[in-house]
Amino acid sequence: MDIILVPGFWLDASSWEKVTPALAAAGHTTHPLTLPGLESVDARRGGITLKDHIAAVVDVLDGLDGKVVLVGHSGGGAVIHGVADARPDRVARNIYVDSGPLGEGGVINDGLPTEGDDVPLPPWDGFDDADLVDLTDELRASFRARAIPEPRGVAHGRQRLHDVRRYDVPATVIACQFPSSLLTEWIDARHPFTAELARIRDVEYVDLPTGHWPQFTKPVELGQAILAAVERTG
């Protein structure tokens, strides 16, 4: 199975480097991506939008044969949901890593501090404690050293969806900072945060208790969780 891995904000393809070995060892072909504007600190980010990130993943998918599995961490969840909307017949499963699908008209996060066209990685005190569970001082230093500003147009861009067949794409949610029981409570309560997730017809939940960046704090366990979801896909 071809597996496309989409990083969250401030990260490039290398952020998956400790996650992919388990997938490759099982015979799968991994495609960790660096999205437009995340190539380097000096990359151009002006004018890059959420639509551009979705299109970049669609381009990779269109170059592969058969169905693929998409993995999206954090803001990457909005991206893979947009890809499922664009190519619902090509996606075997969407795996949301501490993330979920973003519905029509939604934005990923327009509350983050910006600097021109950039959304830099904020100071650690700008995050909730739940985000930072297991993120040691060493991991924080490593993350900050590798962090690349996110394009402002991606964080602020509105999701535009067109094909209701996206709801037929099976989904796995790997819940980290919030337990899956809380997500299902929100669905039952019709919370807006889970409105799009509630419309997906086949969703499974996997709990991986840690902070918001399991690719750094529990990469082996994350790799195994993704592998299990892929193998259940067939």
Side-chain angles (χ1 to χ4, degrees):
M1 180 73 73
D2 285 293
I3 305 170
I4 298 175
L5 299 110
V6 180
F9 282 12
W10 311 299
L11 297 171
D12 62 9
S14 69
S15 61
W16 296 105
E17 62 192 0
K18 293 184 178 180
V19 176
T20 54
L23 305 174
H28 301 293
T29 302
T30 60
H31 305 271
L33 302 187
T34 295
L35 296 175
L38 279 298
E39 299 89 351
S40 72
V41 172
D42 299 323
R44 180 188 67 83
R45 280 174 280 277
I48 296 175
T49 67
L50 174 58
K51 182 179 178 180
D52 294 320
H53 277 196
I54 292 169
V57 181
V58 169
D59 284 346
V60 174
L61 186 155
D62 285 348
L64 302 172
D65 295 326
K67 290 195 171 187
V68 306
V69 170
L70 302 180
V71 181
H73 166 251
S74 191
V79 175
I80 66 171
H81 191 57
V83 176
D85 179 75
R87 298 288 189 273
D89 56 336
R90 293 292 315 283
V91 181
R93 179 175 294 275
N94 269 350
I95 301 176
Y96 297 95
V97 178
D98 215 36
S99 65
L102 181 67
E104 168 65 25
V107 299
I108 299 176
N109 192 335
D110 58 1
L112 292 166
T114 61
E115 295 179 5
D117 294 321
D118 294 358
V119 180
L121 176 64
W124 299 121
D125 60 11
F127 293 97
D128 294 333
D129 290 343
D131 290 317
L132 305 176
V133 171
D134 299 326
L135 198 68
T136 64
D137 289 345
E138 181 180 0
L139 289 174
R140 293 185 193 194
S142 176
F143 184 180
R144 191 159 295 279
R146 75 195 302 162
I148 302 164
E150 191 72 18
R152 181 180 183 275
V154 175
H156 291 236
R158 296 201 176 275
Q159 179 81 288
R160 296 303 179 198
L161 303 169
H162 310 282
D163 196 329
V164 295
R165 291 181 296 164
R166 66 185 179 272
Y167 299 128
D168 295 324
V169 176
T172 298
V173 176
I174 299 177
C176 299
Q177 64 181 125
F178 299 119
S180 61
S181 59
L182 185 56
L183 294 177
T184 56
E185 284 179 18
W186 288 342
I187 288 174
D188 291 341
R190 300 183 182 275
H191 193 291
F193 178 74
T194 54
E196 187 75 359
L197 179 61
R199 300 183 71 179
I200 297 176
R201 294 179 176 87
D202 180 0
V203 183
E204 64 172 10
Y205 298 91
V206 177
D207 284 300
L208 178 58
T210 188
H212 188 54
W213 292 278
Q215 65 270 63
F216 299 146
T217 59
K218 291 193 175 180
V220 174
E221 295 89 337
L222 177 58
Q224 291 297 328
I226 294 171
L227 177 60
V230 171
E231 293 183 341
R232 286 192 294 273
T233 303

